[in-house]
Amino acid sequence: MTFRPKFITFDCHGTMIFFDMAGAARAHYADTLTPEQMDKFIADFSAYRLDEVLGAWKPYADIVHNALERTCKRNGVAFDPAVAAEIYTRVPTWGPHADVPAGLAKIADKIPLVALTNSMNDQIPHNIEKLGAPIAHVYTAESAGAYKPQMQAFEYMFDMLGCGPEDVLHVSSSFRYDLMTAHDIGIKNKVWVNRGHEPANPYYGYTEIEDASGLAAVVGL
């Protein structure tokens, strides 16, 4: 029997929104680094952003600033706070992956969609409005007082929705930010959108789809 959740909860940046931190870094440092050095710089920038969200909550501008500063130090590149600030301002301008509007439209009027996002309250509306489908609830790291992958972010969402992990289908392209924690907190029904930025990890138990167009079939629509 196909599981029909009370809510479909999903990660926003990276899964639904094309989260182009790599492009932002290339725009500023491509003339400074060789292609090989650039690839390492981007990987380090990603790793440091994850490390930065594991502690006490702080504004996302600080996450970007600190991660970029640490990346520059590791790679022998001069750090300019203005570059970090400019990269941060790009985040609300990013829109969805091409498959997302149609994929969400297939289900949005039948099952409420919920975004659980590592974002600021004033950032995320600009991204959400570009998704092309109604999102019933949007919960941010700022409101939760914690970033994913911390359990507190998921617990806040459950409290707000008045439901438990057994009631949702959680959708993400990231194991490290979402699906590992979803597994640990008891969400049995998970979807991995394979966007190509993390390898498969079957231990965590999920249905794999290539893009948002496959989501409707997962819930029998």
Side-chain angles (χ1 to χ4, degrees):
M1 181 179 294
T2 300
F3 174 65
R4 184 66 65 90
K6 291 182 180 178
F7 303 97
I8 299 178
T9 62
F10 59 88
D11 167 60
C12 193
H13 293 136
T15 302
M16 300 300 170
I17 296 294
F18 179 60
F19 193 59
D20 196 21
M21 283 288 179
R26 290 185 189 280
H28 285 286
Y29 298 105
D31 293 338
T32 304
L33 302 169
T34 67
E36 293 77 15
Q37 291 171 331
M38 189 75 251
D39 289 342
K40 180 179 181 300
F41 188 95
I42 289 170
D44 289 343
F45 189 26
S46 177
Y48 280 126
R49 291 198 309 276
L50 176 60
D51 191 62
E52 284 288 331
V53 300
L54 297 177
W57 184 86
K58 49 185 175 281
Y60 196 69
D62 294 354
I63 299 292
V64 174
H65 178 108
N66 295 350
L68 187 62
E69 185 174 21
R70 295 168 73 186
T71 301
C72 287
K73 179 179 178 181
R74 185 173 182 179
N75 289 272
V77 174
F79 171 67
D80 181 353
V83 172
E86 194 281 329
I87 290 176
Y88 175 78
T89 65
R90 292 186 182 211
V91 177
T93 71
W94 292 330
H97 291 280
D99 56 273
V100 167
L104 295 186
K106 295 178 181 178
I107 53 177
D109 63 339
K110 300 174 180 67
I111 302 173
L113 305 183
V114 179
L116 179 63
T117 173
N118 278 359
S119 186
M120 300 289 289
N121 293 339
D122 63 349
Q123 277 183 325
I124 195 62
H126 303 283
N127 300 120
I128 292 294
E129 69 184 10
K130 298 178 178 67
L131 290 176
I135 308 301
H137 307 281
V138 179
Y139 302 121
T140 67
E142 181 178 6
S143 294
Y147 290 97
K148 298 178 297 178
Q150 296 183 59
M151 284 188 175
Q152 181 176 330
F154 286 86
E155 290 168 337
Y156 174 81
M157 178 181 70
F158 293 143
D159 287 345
M160 292 293 99
L161 292 175
C163 74
E166 68 279 2
D167 297 316
V168 307
L169 174 72
H170 191 66
V171 181
S172 180
S173 61
S174 174
F175 291 96
R176 300 185 75 181
Y177 277 97
D178 282 82
L179 297 178
M180 290 180 179
T181 303
H183 172 274
D184 292 342
I185 209 166
I187 300 176
K188 294 183 178 180
N189 296 284
K190 298 177 288 295
V191 168
W192 176 45
V193 185
N194 186 354
R195 297 288 185 195
H197 51 250
E198 291 185 21
N201 197 333
Y203 172 82
Y204 291 98
Y206 53 84
T207 298
E208 178 181 346
I209 60 176
E210 292 185 359
D211 57 47
S213 67
L215 191 55
V218 175
V219 293
L221 295 175

